[in-house]
Amino acid sequence: MRTLLDELKGRVADLVPARAYPLLKGAYASIYYEPDRVKTPHARDSVPETLSEEHVRDAEVVPAREDMLEAFPRGGRVAELGTDEGDLSERILSITDPDELYLIDVWGSKEFSDRSVEEVENRYADRIADGTVEVLPERPDVALDRFEDGFFDWVYIDTTHTYEQTQRELEIAREKVKSDGVMAGHDYCLGDVPAGRWYGVIAAVHEFCVEYEMKLTHLSLETHGHSSFAIERIDP
Ligand SMILES: C[S@@+](CC[C@H](N)C(=O)[O-])C[C@H]1O[C@@H](n2cnc3c(N)ncnc32)[C@H](O)[C@@H]1O
């Protein structure tokens, strides 16, 4: 759940120029020490050291995330959590030809994306008009909450990549995808090295696989290291 502190941080971020934001963030981190933020995500007691055989035996390694999309079902209902300017959305549309594609993002927040929702609406105007694409400028938990359970065939998670956020998004995605649906996502890696930022995707995904008996079905192996993953229930 978004805390009052998160809310406040968002408002401050909206007030300062984008270029000054990293400075502000550094100053904040040195004044307001949050032990959980400096802890490596995979060092938490709740995170398993690795997965067991049953979680990985069906995993297919593919060269790139587009190959993973090739393996996904055609048609159906799909959500992309974290769309930015909509580059992956284009690949989702051309490769998997969904009946309905929901693009969800908090566009316009200085912290994550300065793209505007209008850019994406213009880019996909034809597909919005033909009823395939719907653009939802909201946080994923808020947006997905309006859909009935088991609505989606698959979702792709690509927002902040923190451990906490990934955990929350996997939890809500689990409710909203069909029992044999797929939960996929980006940045299954340890972090953004140039920015010196840890990601918690691997930790959150592994913990989730153990807790809810899920298995990895696909892992992409791009050289830049920002792999994509896909998981589904071991026993749907
Ligand atoms: C890496 S980009 C997404 C890229 C896109 N999936 C692609 O591959 O083309 C991450 C996006 O997540 C969005 N984002 C960050 N935090 C979010 C949140 N809490 N809720 C929704 N979107 C968020 C940002 O606005 C940004 O556009």
Side-chain angles (χ1 to χ4, degrees):
M1 197 198 304
R2 195 170 161 87
T3 64
L4 191 62
L5 187 61
D6 291 333
E7 192 68 40
L8 196 65
K9 281 192 231 168
R11 290 196 182 180
V12 173
D14 284 342
L15 291 175
V16 297
R19 279 162 168 249
Y21 190 75
L23 274 177
L24 184 76
K25 228 174 157 181
Y28 170 84
S30 52
I31 296 164
Y32 190 86
Y33 175 65
E34 293 172 283
D36 267 0
R37 285 189 83 98
V38 293
K39 214 180 200 180
T40 54
H42 47 280
R44 287 175 165 76
D45 292 342
S46 57
V47 175
E49 242 174 67
T50 187
L51 293 173
S52 54
E53 181 63 21
E54 61 176 343
H55 301 289
V56 300
R57 70 165 69 98
D58 296 332
E60 190 184 336
V61 174
V62 292
R65 62 180 176 171
E66 285 76 9
D67 301 291
M68 199 172 85
L69 296 180
E70 294 281 1
F72 286 178
R74 298 292 176 270
R77 293 160 167 165
V78 177
E80 185 186 0
L81 318 185
T83 303
D84 201 18
E85 56 193 310
D87 286 345
L88 184 71
S89 325
E90 199 168 307
R91 312 297 293 140
I92 293 174
L93 284 164
S94 64
I95 297 174
T96 71
D97 193 22
D99 297 320
E100 296 171 26
L101 173 61
Y102 297 86
L103 303 182
I104 301 168
D105 200 298
V106 290
W107 289 283
S109 79
K110 287 210 177 71
E111 189 174 0
F112 300 115
S113 162
D114 52 11
R115 306 276 167 199
S116 70
V117 61
E118 289 80 17
E119 279 178 66
V120 176
E121 284 173 339
N122 290 337
R123 181 169 179 175
Y124 292 108
D126 291 351
R127 305 311 305 269
I128 293 170
D130 74 16
T132 307
V133 169
E134 192 169 324
V135 172
L136 303 172
E138 292 170 301
R139 295 202 324 265
D141 49 334
V142 177
L144 290 187
D145 205 37
R146 284 201 302 273
F147 294 89
E148 67 206 49
D149 288 357
F151 182 85
F152 293 98
D153 291 273
W154 59 275
V155 302
Y156 187 87
I157 299 172
D158 191 9
T159 61
T160 62
H161 314 118
T162 64
Y163 166 78
E164 294 82 1
Q165 175 92 9
T166 307
Q167 241 189 352
R168 280 195 291 271
E169 290 167 345
L170 286 169
E171 291 280 353
I172 181 112
R174 187 178 71 89
E175 288 171 15
K176 300 301 169 183
V177 298
K178 294 177 174 161
S179 64
D180 59 350
V182 175
M183 281 154 274
H186 198 218
D187 287 300
Y188 180 90
C189 59
L190 284 181
D192 180 343
V193 175
R197 189 183 309 137
W198 285 106
Y199 287 164
V201 176
I202 298 179
V205 168
H206 286 199
E207 187 180 323
F208 188 79
C209 283
V210 171
E211 190 169 355
Y212 294 108
E213 300 188 335
M214 302 269 171
K215 61 180 180 183
L216 270 167
T217 60
H218 294 89
L219 201 54
S220 72
L221 214 57
E222 291 88 348
T223 307
H224 53 55
H226 294 266
S227 295
S228 285
F229 69 91
I231 59 174
E232 61 184 39
R233 286 175 175 80
I234 291 175
D235 192 3

